[in-house]
Amino acid sequence: MLLAFDTSSAAVTVALADPVSGAIAASSTTVDALRHGELLAPAIAAALAEAGCTARDLTRIAVGVGPGPFTGLRVGLVTARTMADVLGIEVAGVCSLDILARQSSLSLPVAVATDARRKEIYWALYDGPAADGSRRRLEGPAVDKPADVAHVLSGLPIIGRGAVLYAEALGVAVDEVVEYPSAEVLAYGVATGTLEIVAPDPLYLRRPDVTMSGGPKSVLTK
């Protein structure tokens, strides 16, 4: 079985699927930006129980790599890597913005904008869907103030939580209320090869908030 989950946003989303067809056996999504660490493991256990499986039945893990806030993203990636190491199976990373773009039902090029906090958005641009539903990323991912990239996203349908929060600043209407990545879409895309696989490394797009100390400073006046 293929286990998929994403913790790059305020949502903790988990799905269990057939590793070849992508048929979903169990899934859940909970929106709580402050409890990723508390919610992910129980959600995985519940999905396995619902599907009548154990962790030993897993043959592959798929995880969203962001971009996203450090804490939530770390929870998902550490869990994926640890489980894969213990079970001796592969872990496949997928850009979380690609997952959202794949969720769009529109037959047009789209933009994805998610909440990057600090009054910023993570964004990317995508081509129209191919025959298999996949979308080619044309630009991004990047992080910017909404007003600074409004001209780039202008004229495109925008999906994602960032579009909901900053629709006025972006100067566009929200065409689809798709706010968070779906583990079901992640699982299906990885199983069928319609989402690009990347290394399971965190995509932060920002420098860390903390830096190494430059050493002690003198308190003596010169």
Side-chain angles (χ1 to χ4, degrees), residues 44-173:
I44 292 173
L48 289 169
E50 182 180 341
C53 301
T54 70
R56 291 294 173 185
D57 295 313
L58 298 178
T59 57
R60 197 179 190 190
I61 295 174
V63 63
V65 301
F70 176 80
T71 302
L73 198 54
R74 179 179 59 181
V75 168
L77 286 165
V78 168
T79 300
R81 285 178 161 187
T82 301
M83 290 185 68
D85 186 57
V86 170
L87 297 170
I89 59 178
E90 176 192 3
V91 55
V94 173
C95 173
S96 300
L97 302 187
D98 291 0
I99 303 169
L100 269 164
R102 185 73 170 76
Q103 288 169 230
S104 175
S105 61
L106 297 175
S107 59
L108 305 168
V110 298
V112 172
T114 61
D115 183 15
R117 302 180 184 176
R118 307 182 194 176
K119 298 183 179 180
E120 293 180 328
I121 56 171
Y122 297 119
W123 63 273
L125 305 181
Y126 295 85
D127 206 347
D132 60 4
S134 62
R135 288 181 182 267
R136 181 167 57 99
R137 192 182 332 129
L138 303 174
E139 190 171 347
V143 58
D144 289 285
K145 297 286 186 184
D148 293 342
V149 291
H151 66 288
V152 178
L153 309 184
S154 177
L156 289 173
I158 304 179
I159 61 174
R161 180 63 179 168
V164 174
L165 293 174
Y166 302 109
E168 184 175 352
L170 291 170
V172 294

Side-chain angles (χ1 to χ4, degrees), residues 71 211-212:
T71 302
T211 57
M212 294 296 290

Side-chain angles (χ1 to χ4, degrees), residues 191-211:
T192 59
T194 54
L195 280 172
E196 180 183 358
I197 304 300
V198 298
D201 298 322
L203 188 56
Y204 293 130
L205 299 187
R206 285 197 184 112
R207 293 181 179 180
D209 291 330
V210 295
T211 57

